[in-house]
Coordinates of all heavy atoms in Angstrom, one line a residue:
M1 N -16.3 45.2 39.7 CA -15.2 44.5 40.1 C -15.7 43.2 40.9 O -16.7 43.4 41.6 CB -14.3 45.3 41.0 CG -13.7 46.4 40.2 SD -12.5 47.5 41.2 CE -12.0 46.6 42.7
E2 N -15.0 42.1 40.7 CA -15.3 40.9 41.5 C -14.1 40.0 41.7 O -13.0 40.3 41.2 CB -16.4 40.2 40.8 CG -15.9 39.4 39.6 CD -17.0 38.5 39.0 OE1 -18.2 38.7 39.2 OE2 -16.7 37.6 38.0
V3 N -14.2 39.2 42.8 CA -13.3 38.2 43.0 C -13.9 36.8 43.0 O -15.2 36.7 43.1 CB -12.6 38.3 44.5 CG1 -11.9 39.7 44.5 CG2 -13.7 38.2 45.6
V4 N -13.2 35.8 42.8 CA -13.6 34.4 42.8 C -13.2 33.8 44.1 O -12.0 33.8 44.3 CB -13.1 33.7 41.5 CG1 -13.6 32.2 41.6 CG2 -13.6 34.3 40.3
V5 N -14.2 33.3 44.9 CA -13.8 32.6 46.1 C -14.0 31.0 45.7 O -15.0 30.6 45.2 CB -14.8 32.9 47.2 CG1 -14.5 32.1 48.5 CG2 -14.7 34.4 47.5
R6 N -12.8 30.3 46.0 CA -12.8 28.9 45.7 C -12.9 28.2 47.1 O -12.1 28.6 48.1 CB -11.7 28.4 45.0 CG -11.7 29.0 43.5 CD -10.7 28.2 42.6 NE -10.7 28.9 41.4 CZ -11.7 28.8 40.4 NH1 -12.7 28.1 40.6 NH2 -11.5 29.4 39.3
L7 N -13.8 27.1 47.2 CA -13.9 26.4 48.5 C -13.4 25.1 48.3 O -13.5 24.4 47.3 CB -15.3 26.4 48.9 CG -16.0 27.7 49.0 CD1 -17.6 27.6 49.2 CD2 -15.4 28.6 50.2
S8 N -12.7 24.4 49.3 CA -12.3 23.1 49.3 C -13.0 22.3 50.3 O -13.5 22.7 51.2 CB -10.8 23.0 49.5 OG -10.5 23.2 50.8
D9 N -12.9 20.9 50.0 CA -13.4 19.9 50.9 C -14.8 20.1 51.5 O -15.7 20.3 50.9 CB -12.3 19.6 52.0 CG -10.9 19.4 51.3 OD1 -11.0 18.7 50.2 OD2 -10.0 19.8 51.8
E10 N -14.8 20.2 52.9 CA -16.0 20.3 53.7 C -16.7 21.6 53.3 O -18.0 21.6 53.2 CB -15.7 20.3 55.1 CG -16.8 20.2 56.0 CD -17.8 19.0 55.9 OE1 -17.3 17.9 55.5 OE2 -19.0 19.2 56.2
L11 N -16.1 22.7 53.0 CA -16.7 23.9 52.7 C -17.6 23.8 51.4 O -18.5 24.4 51.3 CB -15.7 25.0 52.7 CG -14.9 25.3 53.9 CD1 -13.8 26.3 53.8 CD2 -15.8 25.7 55.0
R12 N -16.9 23.1 50.4 CA -17.5 23.0 49.1 C -18.9 22.1 49.3 O -19.9 22.6 48.8 CB -16.6 22.2 48.2 CG -17.2 21.8 46.9 CD -16.2 20.9 46.1 NE -14.9 21.4 46.1 CZ -13.9 20.6 46.2 NH1 -14.1 19.3 46.4 NH2 -12.7 21.1 46.1
K13 N -18.8 21.1 50.2 CA -20.1 20.3 50.5 C -21.1 21.2 51.1 O -22.2 21.1 50.7 CB -19.7 19.1 51.2 CG -18.9 18.1 50.6 CD -18.5 17.1 51.7 CE -17.4 16.1 51.0 NZ -16.8 15.3 52.1
R14 N -20.7 22.0 52.1 CA -21.7 22.8 52.7 C -22.4 23.8 51.9 O -23.5 24.2 52.0 CB -21.1 23.5 54.0 CG -20.8 22.4 55.1 CD -20.3 23.1 56.3 NE -20.0 22.0 57.3 CZ -20.8 21.9 58.4 NH1 -21.8 22.6 58.6 NH2 -20.4 21.0 59.3
A15 N -21.5 24.5 51.1 CA -22.1 25.6 50.0 C -22.7 24.9 48.9 O -23.5 25.7 48.2 CB -20.9 26.4 49.6
G16 N -22.4 23.7 48.5 CA -23.0 23.1 47.4 C -22.5 23.6 46.0 O -22.9 23.3 45.0
T17 N -21.3 24.2 46.2 CA -20.5 24.7 45.1 C -19.0 24.9 45.5 O -18.7 24.9 46.7 CB -21.1 26.0 44.5 OG1 -20.3 26.4 43.3 CG2 -21.0 27.2 45.5
D18 N -18.2 24.8 44.5 CA -16.7 25.1 44.8 C -16.3 26.5 44.5 O -15.2 26.9 44.8 CB -15.8 24.1 44.2 CG -15.8 24.1 42.7 OD1 -16.7 24.7 42.1 OD2 -15.0 23.4 42.0
T19 N -17.1 27.3 43.7 CA -16.8 28.6 43.3 C -17.9 29.5 43.5 O -19.0 29.3 43.1 CB -16.4 28.6 41.7 OG1 -15.4 27.6 41.5 CG2 -16.0 30.0 41.4
I20 N -17.5 30.7 44.1 CA -18.6 31.8 44.3 C -17.9 33.0 43.8 O -16.8 33.4 44.3 CB -19.0 31.9 45.8 CG1 -19.4 30.5 46.4 CG2 -20.1 33.0 45.9 CD1 -19.6 30.5 47.9
K21 N -18.7 33.7 43.0 CA -18.2 35.1 42.5 C -18.8 36.1 43.4 O -20.0 36.2 43.6 CB -18.5 35.3 41.0 CG -17.7 34.4 40.1 CD -18.0 34.7 38.6 CE -17.2 33.8 37.8 NZ -17.5 34.0 36.4
I22 N -18.0 37.1 43.9 CA -18.5 38.1 44.8 C -18.1 39.4 44.3 O -17.0 39.7 44.1 CB -18.0 37.9 46.4 CG1 -18.6 36.5 46.7 CG2 -18.5 38.9 47.2 CD1 -18.2 36.1 48.2
P23 N -19.0 40.4 44.1 CA -18.6 41.6 43.7 C -17.9 42.5 44.8 O -18.3 42.2 46.0 CB -20.0 42.4 43.4 CG -21.0 41.5 43.9 CD -20.5 40.2 44.2
I24 N -16.8 43.3 44.5 CA -16.1 44.0 45.5 C -16.0 45.4 45.1 O -16.2 45.7 43.9 CB -14.7 43.3 45.7 CG1 -13.9 43.4 44.5 CG2 -14.8 42.1 46.4 CD1 -12.4 43.3 44.8
D25 N -15.8 46.2 46.0 CA -15.5 47.7 45.7 C -14.0 47.9 45.7 O -13.2 47.0 46.2 CB -16.2 48.6 46.8 CG -17.7 48.4 46.7 OD1 -18.3 48.5 45.6 OD2 -18.2 48.5 47.8
E26 N -13.6 49.1 45.2 CA -12.1 49.3 45.2 C -11.7 49.4 46.6 O -12.4 49.9 47.6 CB -11.9 50.7 44.5 CG -10.4 51.0 44.3 CD -10.2 52.1 43.4 OE1 -11.2 52.5 42.5 OE2 -9.2 52.8 43.5
D27 N -10.4 48.9 46.9 CA -9.8 48.9 48.3 C -10.5 48.0 49.4 O -10.4 48.2 50.6 CB -9.7 50.4 48.9 CG -8.6 51.2 48.0 OD1 -7.7 50.6 47.6 OD2 -8.9 52.3 48.0
E28 N -11.4 47.1 48.8 CA -12.0 46.3 49.8 C -11.0 45.3 50.4 O -10.1 44.9 49.7 CB -13.2 45.6 49.1 CG -14.2 44.9 50.0 CD -15.5 44.7 49.4 OE1 -16.1 45.7 48.8 OE2 -16.1 43.6 49.5
T29 N -11.3 44.7 51.5 CA -10.3 43.8 52.1 C -11.0 42.5 52.4 O -12.2 42.2 52.3 CB -9.8 44.4 53.5 OG1 -11.0 44.6 54.3 CG2 -9.1 45.6 53.4
V30 N -10.1 41.5 52.8 CA -10.7 40.1 53.1 C -11.8 40.2 54.2 O -12.7 39.4 54.0 CB -9.6 39.1 53.5 CG1 -10.1 37.8 53.9 CG2 -8.4 39.1 52.4
D31 N -11.7 40.9 55.2 CA -12.8 40.9 56.2 C -14.1 41.3 55.6 O -15.1 40.7 56.0 CB -12.4 41.6 57.5 CG -12.2 43.3 57.2 OD1 -11.8 43.6 56.1 OD2 -12.5 44.0 58.1
T32 N -14.2 42.3 54.7 CA -15.4 42.7 54.1 C -15.9 41.6 53.2 O -17.1 41.4 53.1 CB -15.3 44.1 53.5 OG1 -14.3 44.2 52.6 CG2 -15.2 45.2 54.6
L33 N -14.9 41.0 52.5 CA -15.3 39.9 51.6 C -16.0 38.7 52.3 O -17.0 38.2 51.9 CB -14.1 39.4 50.8 CG -14.3 38.2 50.0 CD1 -15.2 38.5 48.8 CD2 -13.0 37.4 49.6
L34 N -15.5 38.5 53.5 CA -16.0 37.4 54.4 C -17.4 37.8 54.9 O -18.3 36.9 55.0 CB -15.1 37.0 55.4 CG -13.8 36.4 55.0 CD1 -12.8 36.3 56.2 CD2 -14.0 35.0 54.4
M35 N -17.6 39.1 55.2 CA -19.0 39.5 55.6 C -19.9 39.4 54.5 O -21.1 38.8 54.7 CB -18.9 40.9 56.0 CG -18.2 41.2 57.4 SD -18.4 42.9 58.1 CE -18.2 44.0 56.8
K36 N -19.5 39.6 53.3 CA -20.5 39.4 52.1 C -20.7 37.9 51.8 O -21.8 37.5 51.6 CB -19.8 40.1 50.8 CG -19.9 41.6 50.8 CD -19.3 41.9 49.5 CE -19.4 43.6 49.4 NZ -18.8 44.1 48.2
L37 N -19.7 37.1 52.0 CA -19.8 35.7 51.8 C -20.8 35.1 53.0 O -21.5 34.3 52.7 CB -18.4 35.0 52.0 CG -18.4 33.5 51.9 CD1 -19.0 33.0 50.4 CD2 -17.0 32.9 52.0
G38 N -20.6 35.7 54.2 CA -21.4 35.3 55.3 C -22.9 35.6 55.1 O -23.7 34.9 55.6
R39 N -23.3 36.6 54.4 CA -24.7 36.8 54.0 C -25.2 35.7 53.1 O -26.4 35.4 53.3 CB -24.8 38.2 53.3 CG -24.6 39.4 54.2 CD -24.8 40.7 53.5 NE -24.1 41.8 54.2 CZ -23.2 42.6 53.6 NH1 -23.0 42.5 52.4 NH2 -22.5 43.5 54.4
R40 N -24.4 35.1 52.2 CA -24.9 34.1 51.4 C -24.7 32.8 52.1 O -25.6 31.9 51.9 CB -24.1 34.1 50.0 CG -24.3 35.3 49.2 CD -23.5 34.9 48.0 NE -23.3 36.1 47.1 CZ -22.8 36.1 46.0 NH1 -22.1 35.1 45.5 NH2 -22.6 37.2 45.3
H41 N -23.8 32.5 52.8 CA -23.5 31.3 53.4 C -22.9 31.4 54.8 O -21.7 31.3 55.2 CB -22.4 30.5 52.6 CG -22.8 30.3 51.2 ND1 -23.6 29.2 50.8 CD2 -22.3 30.8 50.0 CE1 -23.7 29.3 49.4 NE2 -23.0 30.3 49.0
P42 N -23.8 31.8 55.7 CA -23.4 32.1 57.1 C -22.7 30.9 57.9 O -21.7 31.2 58.6 CB -24.7 32.5 57.8 CG -25.7 32.1 57.0 CD -25.2 31.9 55.6
K43 N -23.1 29.7 57.6 CA -22.4 28.6 58.2 C -20.9 28.3 57.8 O -20.2 27.9 58.7 CB -23.2 27.3 57.9 CG -24.7 27.3 58.5 CD -24.6 27.1 60.0 CE -26.0 27.0 60.5 NZ -26.1 27.4 61.8
L44 N -20.7 28.7 56.6 CA -19.3 28.7 56.1 C -18.4 29.6 56.9 O -17.3 29.2 57.4 CB -19.2 29.0 54.6 CG -19.8 28.0 53.7 CD1 -19.5 28.6 52.3 CD2 -19.3 26.7 53.8
V45 N -18.8 30.8 57.0 CA -18.1 31.8 57.8 C -17.8 31.5 59.2 O -16.9 31.7 59.8 CB -18.6 33.2 57.5 CG1 -17.9 34.3 58.3 CG2 -18.5 33.6 56.0
E46 N -19.0 30.9 59.8 CA -18.9 30.5 61.2 C -17.8 29.3 61.4 O -17.0 29.3 62.3 CB -20.2 29.9 61.7 CG -21.2 31.0 62.0 CD -22.6 30.4 62.4 OE1 -22.6 29.2 62.7 OE2 -23.5 31.1 62.2
L47 N -17.7 28.5 60.4 CA -16.7 27.4 60.4 C -15.2 28.0 60.4 O -14.3 27.5 60.9 CB -16.8 26.4 59.2 CG -17.9 25.4 59.4 CD1 -18.0 24.6 58.1 CD2 -17.6 24.4 60.6
V48 N -15.0 29.0 59.5 CA -13.8 29.5 59.1 C -13.2 30.6 60.1 O -12.0 30.5 60.4 CB -13.7 30.0 57.6 CG1 -12.5 30.7 57.3 CG2 -14.1 28.9 56.6
L49 N -14.0 31.4 60.6 CA -13.6 32.6 61.3 C -13.7 32.3 62.9 O -14.7 31.8 63.4 CB -14.3 33.8 61.0 CG -14.1 34.5 59.7 CD1 -14.8 35.8 59.6 CD2 -12.6 34.7 59.5
D50 N -12.7 32.8 63.7 CA -12.7 32.7 65.1 C -13.5 34.0 65.4 O -13.1 35.1 65.1 CB -11.3 32.9 65.5 CG -11.3 32.9 67.1 OD1 -12.1 33.5 67.7 OD2 -10.3 32.4 67.7
P51 N -14.7 33.8 66.2 CA -15.6 34.9 66.5 C -14.9 35.9 67.4 O -15.3 37.0 67.5 CB -16.7 34.3 67.2 CG -16.3 32.8 67.7 CD -15.2 32.5 66.7
T52 N -13.8 35.4 68.2 CA -13.2 36.4 69.1 C -12.2 37.3 68.4 O -12.2 38.5 68.7 CB -12.5 35.6 70.2 OG1 -13.2 34.5 70.6 CG2 -12.1 36.4 71.4
T53 N -11.6 36.8 67.5 CA -10.4 37.6 66.9 C -10.8 38.2 65.5 O -10.2 39.1 65.1 CB -9.1 36.8 66.7 OG1 -9.4 35.7 65.8 CG2 -8.6 36.2 68.1
G54 N -11.7 37.4 64.9 CA -12.1 37.8 63.5 C -11.2 37.3 62.5 O -11.5 37.3 61.2
E55 N -10.1 36.6 62.9 CA -9.1 35.9 61.9 C -9.5 34.5 61.7 O -10.5 34.0 62.3 CB -7.8 35.9 62.6 CG -7.1 37.2 63.0 CD -6.6 37.9 61.7 OE1 -6.3 37.3 60.8 OE2 -6.3 39.2 61.8
A56 N -9.0 33.9 60.6 CA -9.3 32.6 60.3 C -8.8 31.7 61.5 O -7.8 31.9 62.0 CB -8.5 32.2 59.0
K57 N -9.6 30.6 61.7 CA -9.2 29.7 62.8 C -8.0 28.9 62.3 O -7.7 28.8 61.0 CB -10.3 28.6 63.0 CG -11.6 29.2 63.6 CD -12.7 28.2 63.7 CE -13.9 28.8 64.3 NZ -15.2 27.9 64.3
G58 N -7.2 28.4 63.2 CA -6.0 27.7 62.9 C -6.1 26.5 62.0 O -5.2 26.2 61.2
S59 N -7.4 25.9 61.9 CA -7.6 24.8 61.0 C -7.9 25.2 59.6 O -8.2 24.3 58.8 CB -8.7 23.8 61.7 OG -9.9 24.7 61.9
Y60 N -8.0 26.5 59.4 CA -8.3 26.9 58.0 C -7.2 27.9 57.4 O -6.6 28.7 58.1 CB -9.6 27.7 57.9 CG -10.8 26.7 58.1 CD1 -11.3 26.4 59.3 CD2 -11.3 26.0 57.0 CE1 -12.3 25.5 59.4 CE2 -12.3 25.1 57.1 CZ -12.8 24.8 58.3 OH -13.8 23.8 58.5
E61 N -7.0 27.8 56.1 CA -6.1 28.8 55.5 C -6.9 29.7 54.5 O -7.8 29.1 53.8 CB -5.1 28.1 54.7 CG -4.0 27.4 55.5 CD -3.0 28.5 55.9 OE1 -3.0 29.6 55.6 OE2 -2.1 28.0 56.6
I62 N -6.5 30.9 54.4 CA -7.0 31.8 53.4 C -6.0 32.2 52.4 O -5.1 32.7 53.0 CB -7.9 33.0 53.9 CG1 -9.1 32.5 54.8 CG2 -8.5 33.9 52.7 CD1 -9.9 33.5 55.5
L63 N -6.1 32.0 51.2 CA -4.9 32.4 50.2 C -5.5 33.3 49.2 O -6.7 33.1 48.7 CB -4.4 31.1 49.6 CG -3.6 30.2 50.5 CD1 -4.6 29.2 51.0 CD2 -2.6 29.5 49.7
I64 N -4.9 34.3 48.9 CA -5.1 35.2 47.7 C -4.1 34.9 46.7 O -2.9 35.1 46.8 CB -5.2 36.6 48.1 CG1 -6.1 36.9 49.2 CG2 -5.4 37.5 46.9 CD1 -6.1 38.3 49.8
N65 N -4.6 34.4 45.5 CA -3.7 34.1 44.4 C -2.5 33.3 44.8 O -1.4 33.4 44.4 CB -3.2 35.4 43.7 CG -4.4 36.3 43.2 OD1 -5.4 35.8 42.7 ND2 -4.3 37.6 43.4
G66 N -2.8 32.4 45.7 CA -1.8 31.4 46.1 C -1.0 31.7 47.2 O -0.1 31.1 47.8
R67 N -1.1 33.0 47.8 CA -0.3 33.5 48.9 C -1.2 33.5 50.2 O -2.3 34.0 50.2 CB 0.3 34.9 48.6 CG 1.1 34.9 47.5 CD 1.7 36.2 47.2 NE 2.5 36.6 48.2 CZ 2.8 37.9 48.6 NH1 2.3 39.0 47.7 NH2 3.7 38.2 49.6
R68 N -0.6 33.0 51.3 CA -1.4 32.9 52.5 C -1.6 34.3 53.1 O -0.6 35.2 53.2 CB -0.6 32.1 53.6 CG -0.6 30.6 53.3 CD 0.1 29.9 54.4 NE -0.1 28.5 54.2 CZ 0.8 27.7 53.6 NH1 1.8 28.3 53.0 NH2 0.6 26.5 53.5
I69 N -2.9 34.7 53.5 CA -3.0 36.1 53.9 C -2.3 36.3 55.3 O -2.0 37.4 55.6 CB -4.5 36.4 54.1 CG1 -5.2 35.5 55.1 CG2 -5.3 36.4 52.8 CD1 -6.6 36.1 55.6
R70 N -2.0 35.2 56.0 CA -1.2 35.5 57.3 C 0.2 36.0 57.0 O 0.8 36.6 57.9 CB -1.2 34.3 58.2 CG -0.4 33.1 57.7 CD -0.4 31.9 58.7 NE -1.7 31.4 58.7 CZ -2.1 30.4 59.4 NH1 -1.2 29.6 59.9 NH2 -3.3 29.9 59.3
H71 N 0.6 35.8 55.8 CA 1.9 36.3 55.5 C 1.8 37.7 54.7 O 2.8 38.3 54.4 CB 2.7 35.4 54.5 CG 2.9 34.1 55.1 ND1 3.7 33.9 56.4 CD2 2.7 32.8 54.8 CE1 3.8 32.6 56.7 NE2 3.1 32.0 55.7
L72 N 0.5 38.2 54.6 CA 0.3 39.5 53.9 C -0.1 40.4 55.2 O 0.6 40.6 56.1 CB -0.7 39.4 52.9 CG -0.3 38.5 51.7 CD1 -1.5 38.2 50.9 CD2 0.8 39.0 50.9
R73 N -1.4 40.9 55.0 CA -1.9 41.6 56.1 C -3.1 41.1 56.8 O -4.0 41.7 57.3 CB -2.4 43.1 55.5 CG -1.1 43.9 55.0 CD -1.3 45.3 54.8 NE -1.6 46.0 56.1 CZ -2.4 47.0 56.3 NH1 -3.2 47.3 55.2 NH2 -2.7 47.4 57.5
G74 N -3.2 39.7 56.7 CA -4.2 39.1 57.4 C -5.6 39.3 56.8 O -5.6 39.6 55.6
I75 N -6.6 39.5 57.7 CA -7.9 39.8 57.0 C -8.0 41.3 56.5 O -9.0 41.6 55.9 CB -9.0 39.6 58.1 CG1 -8.9 40.3 59.4 CG2 -9.1 38.0 58.4 CD1 -10.1 40.2 60.3
Y76 N -7.0 42.0 56.7 CA -7.0 43.4 56.3 C -6.3 43.5 55.0 O -6.0 44.6 54.4 CB -6.5 44.4 57.4 CG -7.2 44.3 58.6 CD1 -6.7 43.6 59.7 CD2 -8.5 44.7 58.7 CE1 -7.5 43.5 60.9 CE2 -9.3 44.6 59.8 CZ -8.8 43.9 61.0 OH -9.4 43.8 62.1
T77 N -5.9 42.4 54.3 CA -5.3 42.4 53.0 C -6.2 42.9 52.0 O -7.5 42.5 51.9 CB -4.9 41.0 52.6 OG1 -4.1 40.4 53.6 CG2 -4.2 40.9 51.3
K78 N -5.9 43.9 51.2 CA -6.7 44.4 50.2 C -6.8 43.6 49.0 O -6.0 42.7 48.6 CB -6.1 45.7 49.7 CG -6.2 46.9 50.7 CD -5.8 48.2 50.1 CE -6.0 49.3 51.1 NZ -5.6 50.5 50.6
L79 N -8.1 43.5 48.4 CA -8.3 42.7 47.1 C -8.3 43.6 46.0 O -8.6 44.8 46.0 CB -9.7 42.1 47.4 CG -9.8 41.2 48.6 CD1 -11.3 40.9 48.9 CD2 -9.0 39.9 48.3
K80 N -8.1 42.9 44.8 CA -8.2 43.6 43.5 C -9.0 42.8 42.6 O -9.3 41.5 42.9 CB -6.7 43.6 42.9 CG -5.7 44.3 43.7 CD -4.4 44.4 43.0 CE -3.7 43.1 42.7 NZ -3.4 42.2 43.8
H81 N -9.5 43.4 41.6 CA -10.4 42.8 40.6 C -9.8 41.5 40.0 O -8.6 41.6 39.8 CB -10.7 43.8 39.5 CG -11.6 43.2 38.4 ND1 -12.7 42.7 38.6 CD2 -11.3 43.1 37.0 CE1 -13.4 42.4 37.5 NE2 -12.5 42.6 36.5
K82 N -10.5 40.5 40.0 CA -10.1 39.1 39.5 C -9.2 38.4 40.4 O -8.7 37.3 40.0 CB -9.5 39.2 38.1 CG -10.4 39.9 37.1 CD -10.6 39.0 35.9 CE -11.5 39.7 34.9 NZ -12.4 38.9 34.3
D83 N -9.0 38.8 41.7 CA -8.3 38.0 42.6 C -8.9 36.7 42.8 O -10.3 36.6 42.8 CB -8.2 38.7 44.0 CG -7.0 39.7 44.0 OD1 -6.1 39.7 43.1 OD2 -6.9 40.4 45.1
E84 N -8.1 35.6 43.0 CA -8.8 34.3 43.5 C -8.5 34.0 44.9 O -7.3 34.0 45.3 CB -8.2 33.2 42.5 CG -8.8 31.9 42.8 CD -8.3 30.8 41.8 OE1 -8.6 31.0 40.6 OE2 -7.7 29.9 42.2
V85 N -9.5 33.9 45.6 CA -9.4 33.6 47.1 C -9.7 32.2 47.4 O -10.8 31.7 47.0 CB -10.4 34.5 47.9 CG1 -10.2 34.3 49.4 CG2 -10.0 36.0 47.6
L86 N -8.8 31.4 47.9 CA -9.1 30.0 48.2 C -9.2 29.9 49.7 O -8.4 30.4 50.6 CB -7.9 29.2 47.8 CG -7.9 27.7 48.3 CD1 -9.1 26.9 47.6 CD2 -6.6 27.0 48.0
I87 N -10.4 29.3 50.2 CA -10.5 29.0 51.5 C -10.5 27.4 51.7 O -11.2 26.7 51.1 CB -11.8 29.5 52.1 CG1 -11.9 31.1 51.9 CG2 -12.0 29.3 53.6 CD1 -13.3 31.5 52.2
A88 N -9.5 27.0 52.6 CA -9.2 25.6 52.6 C -8.9 25.2 54.0 O -8.4 25.9 54.9 CB -8.2 25.2 51.6
Q89 N -9.1 23.8 54.4 CA -8.5 23.4 55.7 C -7.1 23.3 55.6 O -6.5 23.0 54.5 CB -9.2 22.0 55.9 CG -10.7 22.1 56.3 CD -11.2 20.9 56.9 OE1 -11.4 19.9 56.1 NE2 -11.5 20.8 58.2
S90 N -6.4 23.6 56.6 CA -4.9 23.7 56.7 C -4.4 22.2 56.7 O -5.1 21.3 57.2 CB -4.5 24.2 58.0 OG -4.9 25.7 58.2
E91 N -3.3 22.1 56.1 CA -2.6 20.9 56.2 C -2.0 20.8 57.7 O -1.5 21.7 58.1 CB -1.4 20.8 55.2 CG -1.9 20.8 53.8 CD -2.7 19.6 53.3 OE1 -2.3 18.5 53.8 OE2 -3.6 19.6 52.7
P92 N -1.9 19.5 58.2 CA -1.5 19.3 59.5 C 0.1 19.6 59.5 O 0.8 19.2 58.5 CB -1.8 17.9 60.0 CG -2.6 17.3 58.9 CD -2.6 18.3 57.7
E93 N 0.6 20.2 60.6 CA 2.0 20.5 60.5 C 2.8 19.2 60.8 O 2.5 18.5 61.6 CB 2.4 21.5 61.7 CG 1.6 22.8 61.6 CD 2.5 23.9 61.0 OE1 3.7 23.9 61.2 OE2 1.9 24.9 60.6
S94 N 3.9 19.0 60.1 CA 4.7 17.8 60.4 C 5.7 18.2 61.3 O 6.3 19.2 61.4 CB 5.3 17.3 59.0 OG 6.1 18.4 58.5
S95 N 6.1 17.2 62.2 CA 7.1 17.4 63.2 C 8.5 17.3 62.7 O 8.8 16.6 62.0 CB 7.0 16.4 64.4 OG 5.6 16.1 64.5

């Protein structure tokens, strides 16, 4: 089983690619996916995750199949085979 991680903008430049395939186990969650990604690209994960909370920093969004994980179970959202995970900088909120 695997998921596809897509990176946007600055993250794509830092990783040197916009797509990374990562093998996952059954019932794996976003937090363990990010640990695996961190082994390959530690600087990316440092940019995206708040070291205190383990959640995505406010300036980044993580989406699974187009749905924001903050509207699901956050970093504890379970993944399925062939899920597409997008990590992107958040759009600024309009007033």
Side-chain angles (χ1 to χ4, degrees):
M1 295 181 16
E2 72 178 14
V3 297
V4 175
V5 177
R6 297 201 184 280
L7 305 171
S8 69
D9 308 322
E10 185 63 27
L11 299 175
R12 178 185 314 134
K13 291 176 192 167
R14 289 184 183 252
T17 184
D18 63 349
T19 304
I20 303 167
K21 292 183 179 182
I22 298 183
I24 62 165
D25 296 320
E26 192 171 333
D27 292 330
E28 198 155 312
T29 58
V30 173
D31 64 331
T32 55
L33 173 72
L34 292 171
M35 287 190 317
K36 289 180 177 183
L37 182 61
R39 290 185 201 125
R40 293 188 196 179
H41 300 283
K43 296 287 185 201
L44 291 182
V45 176
E46 286 175 19
L47 279 174
V48 173
L49 288 186
D50 180 322
T52 318
T53 64
E55 296 283 343
K57 292 178 182 174
S59 56
Y60 288 93
E61 285 282 355
I62 301 174
L63 294 89
I64 299 174
N65 303 321
R67 297 181 66 200
R68 290 182 171 93
I69 65 168
R70 71 178 64 173
H71 298 303
L72 300 170
R73 296 200 62 223
I75 60 172
Y76 303 108
T77 303
K78 288 187 180 181
L79 298 166
K80 298 182 299 300
H81 180 56
K82 301 233 182 216
D83 275 348
E84 184 173 295
V85 178
L86 172 67
I87 305 174
Q89 287 190 286
S90 299
E91 295 293 322
E93 302 259 337
S94 57
S95 326

